[in-house]
């Protein structure tokens, strides 16, 4: 009897509070004192969730959200958040045919050598234009692709586009140029990944030295020994390993040597504070120097930032000030212009 139950049972928040109070008491285990942390996700059924699947998915998301807080915490999903989960599910199924339906394409964001001012490389970034939704931001669909396992095929497709582009650049006499693709943590836990990369480069008959793999720092932190071996294998194949979004995760210093990295990309959030808080970038540059790593500054948007980075002898810069991500045709135009400028110097 619902009415009786609702009066007999305390609501979810009260249960959480009671549990948190009990669990915050230290537990004695032999001579050890153990302190527990409590996180709970709450989702109301049928008020917010429509079915059991939504209830389970939503509750586990709410719990993951609660886990991000220090100490005891419970998190309740509201209607809006559940709406977002529904949209995620829809995007996940739409994403399955996005490549075959030619809704995806890649863009290239040039990276400039801060001493010479010339373009030396570019980052390859995926774009998804859905006929009904419009442009879906990568920050929205990449996590969905990671959770659903689609990221492996997507990133391999991105690498293939990069290979095709590199072949065309070489045919136009553009040499000494590199392309870097992004890899997610999922790739690094797939033991087949380095071999897939190697065979793709062979298929297009391209030197691995022309390619870099950007691995996000948060993915590295979660890496196990197998994944570290894979980063090593990529290096042995001849690719450059770049640590993306440096400063946002918690890379231990040992990773900087163990992982055979070639470059660090300073996260945009540090470049944004460059003028007010230069010490952070200074220390990253010192650290990189000690480990003989090349440094790329991400998200350079102002001329002041650019000048400071030049003074500080940062190696490369990428950002809207220099160029937004562009399609292949525009990239080729930029490169040809840059080569001409270099020749007339
Ligand atoms: P990321 O690898 O750190 O890429 C840099 C992001 O910063 C790109 O966003 C780029 O457009 C943006 N950006 C560059 N310069 C500026 C600037 O001056 N100001 C601002 N505000 N933003 C700037 P995008 O393309 O939206 O990509 C977001 C993230 O999605 C990427 O971050 C990367 O983690 C992921 N991603 C993109 N393409 C791929 C892909 O093909 N595979 C995988 N696994 N992840 C990808
Ligand atoms: Mg990147
Ligand atoms: Mg980045």
């Amino acid at each position: 009897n619902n009415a009786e139950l609702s009066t007999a049972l305390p609501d979810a928040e009260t249960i959480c509070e009671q549990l948190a109070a009990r669990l915050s008491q230290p537990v004695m285990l032999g001579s050890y004192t153990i302190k527990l942390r409590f996180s709970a996700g709450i989702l109301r059924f049928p008020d917010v969730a429509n079915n059991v699947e939504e209830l389970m998915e939503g509750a586990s998301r709410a719990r993951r959200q609660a886990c991000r807080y220090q100490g005891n915490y419970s998190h309740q999903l509201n209607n809006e958040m559940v709406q977002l989960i529904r949209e995620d599910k829809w995007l996940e199924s739409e994403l399955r045919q996005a490549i075959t339906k030619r809704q995806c394409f890649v863009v290239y964001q040039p990276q400039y050598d801060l001493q010479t001012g010339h373009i030396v490389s570019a980052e390859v970034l995926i774009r998804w234009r859905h006929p009904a939704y419009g442009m879906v931001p990568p920050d929205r669909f990449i996590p969905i692709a990671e959770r659903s396992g689609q990221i492996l095929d997507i990133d391999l497709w991105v690498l293939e586009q990069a290979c095709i582009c590199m072949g065309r650049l070489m045919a136009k006499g553009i040499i000494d140029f590199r392309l870097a693709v992004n890899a997610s943590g999922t790739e690094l836990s797939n033991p087949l990944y380095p071999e897939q990369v190697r065979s793709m480069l062979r298929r297009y008959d391209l030197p691995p030295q022309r390619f870099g793999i950007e691995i996000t720092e948060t993915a590295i932190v979660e890496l196990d020994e197998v994944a570290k071996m894979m980063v090593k294998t990529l290096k042995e194949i001849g690719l450059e390993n770049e640590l993306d979004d440096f400063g946002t995760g918690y890379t231990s210093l040992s990773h900087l040597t163990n992982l055979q990295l070639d470059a660090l990309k300073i996260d945009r959030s540090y470049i944004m504070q460059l003028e007010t808080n230069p010490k952070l970038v200074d220390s990253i540059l010192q650290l990189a120097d000690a480990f003989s790593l090349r440094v790329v500054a991400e998200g350079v948007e102002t001329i002041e930032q650019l000048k400071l980075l030049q003074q500080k002898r940062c190696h490369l810069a990428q950002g809207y000030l220099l160029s937004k991500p562009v399609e292949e045709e525009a990239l080729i135009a930029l490169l040809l212009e840059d080569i001409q400028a270099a020749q007339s110097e």
Side-chain angles (χ1 to χ4, degrees):
N1 183 316
N2 276 345
E4 256 174 49
L5 259 183
S6 61
T7 48
L9 274 180
D11 68 10
E13 278 103 340
T14 316
I15 296 178
C16 286
E17 274 164 26
Q18 287 170 352
L19 276 169
R22 291 285 287 274
L23 290 170
S24 58
Q25 305 296 322
V27 181
M28 295 298 294
L29 208 67
S31 56
Y32 296 99
T33 308
I34 312 233
K35 225 178 157 250
L36 298 170
R37 199 162 69 81
F38 165 82
S39 316
I42 306 173
L43 186 63
R44 293 189 184 279
F45 179 83
D47 321 6
V48 177
N50 280 340
N51 51 48
V52 176
E53 200 193 354
E54 251 177 45
L55 179 70
M56 301 309 285
E57 166 87 26
S60 95
R61 276 214 207 183
R63 188 192 49 76
R64 284 202 297 273
Q65 206 117 26
C67 278
R68 295 203 190 132
Y69 292 84
Q70 296 291 324
N72 302 321
Y73 197 79
S74 64
H75 184 80
Q76 183 163 178
L77 285 200
N78 59 25
N79 257 320
E80 231 167 73
M81 297 163 184
V82 173
Q83 200 52 44
L84 220 58
I85 295 179
R86 277 180 205 135
E87 198 180 73
D88 275 5
K89 283 264 164 243
W90 176 73
L91 286 173
E92 183 187 320
S93 73
E94 290 296 293
L95 189 56
R96 295 204 185 275
Q97 317 119 44
I99 286 179
T100 50
K101 287 189 173 168
R102 297 179 179 269
Q103 293 167 0
C104 292
F105 58 101
V106 297
V107 286
Y108 303 87
Q109 190 173 31
Q111 297 173 336
Y112 291 75
D113 183 312
L114 280 170
Q115 300 313 315
T116 66
H118 294 298
I119 305 172
V120 289
S121 45
E123 176 174 7
V124 189
L125 295 156
I126 191 167
R127 294 290 175 263
W128 178 18
R129 189 186 286 116
H130 185 273
Y133 189 103
M135 293 300 292
V136 191
D139 286 333
R140 183 78 207 278
F141 74 84
I142 296 287
I144 296 175
E146 286 175 344
R147 280 199 298 274
S148 63
Q150 300 181 65
I151 194 71
L152 298 172
D153 290 337
I154 291 177
D155 279 346
L156 220 49
W157 178 83
V158 170
L159 178 66
E160 182 159 26
Q161 306 312 300
C163 287
I164 296 169
C165 174
M166 183 61 84
R168 291 200 196 112
L169 294 179
M170 287 169 78
K172 287 192 186 295
I174 299 168
I175 42 169
D176 283 343
F177 181 73
R178 289 189 331 107
L179 285 174
V181 295
N182 290 283
S184 75
T186 321
E187 264 103 331
L188 298 176
S189 44
N190 169 18
L192 301 176
Y193 180 64
E195 199 40 54
Q196 287 171 334
V197 172
R198 194 207 306 259
S199 62
M200 182 74 80
L201 299 182
R202 279 209 186 122
R203 187 176 334 146
Y204 288 90
D205 195 21
L206 293 165
Q209 290 70 21
R210 295 296 194 82
F211 292 87
I213 304 278
E214 293 190 5
I215 306 153
T216 54
E217 199 189 11
T218 35
I220 290 272
V221 175
E222 290 156 17
L223 290 185
D224 57 8
E225 288 308 313
V226 180
K228 283 180 197 149
M229 278 302 293
M230 291 200 354
V231 178
K232 193 163 165 249
T233 313
L234 288 169
K235 173 83 185 160
E236 283 162 3
I237 294 174
L239 287 106
E240 298 227 317
N241 289 319
E242 306 185 16
L243 194 50
D244 203 353
D245 307 334
F246 186 71
T248 54
Y250 303 93
T251 313
S252 80
L253 289 179
S254 65
H255 277 142
L256 293 180
T257 36
N258 291 347
L259 274 173
Q260 314 224 10
L261 295 169
D262 299 282
L264 291 186
K265 295 191 76 179
I266 308 181
D267 190 64
R268 191 166 72 87
S269 54
Y270 290 88
I271 305 302
M272 280 162 72
Q273 318 171 37
L274 188 57
E275 285 152 84
T276 49
N277 198 359
K279 282 188 182 160
L280 290 169
V281 171
D282 287 344
S283 35
I284 296 177
L285 285 167
Q286 272 174 19
L287 193 68
D289 190 43
F291 287 94
S292 307
L293 299 169
R294 205 172 60 237
V295 183
V296 188
E298 277 194 284
V300 179
E301 290 185 351
T302 70
I303 194 86
E304 289 75 22
Q305 290 166 350
L306 188 74
K307 281 188 186 150
L308 279 171
L309 289 163
Q310 255 164 345
Q311 279 166 17
K312 293 177 189 300
R313 305 219 148 253
C314 176
H315 308 110
L316 304 179
Q318 170 184 355
Y320 291 173
L321 174 74
L322 300 157
S323 170
K324 287 208 167 179
V326 295
E327 290 191 41
E328 185 181 309
E329 220 170 291
L331 175 76
I332 292 176
L334 280 173
L335 285 168
L336 292 175
E337 210 177 286
D338 195 53
I339 290 170
Q340 257 188 351
Q343 280 165 352
S344 59
E345 268 166 17

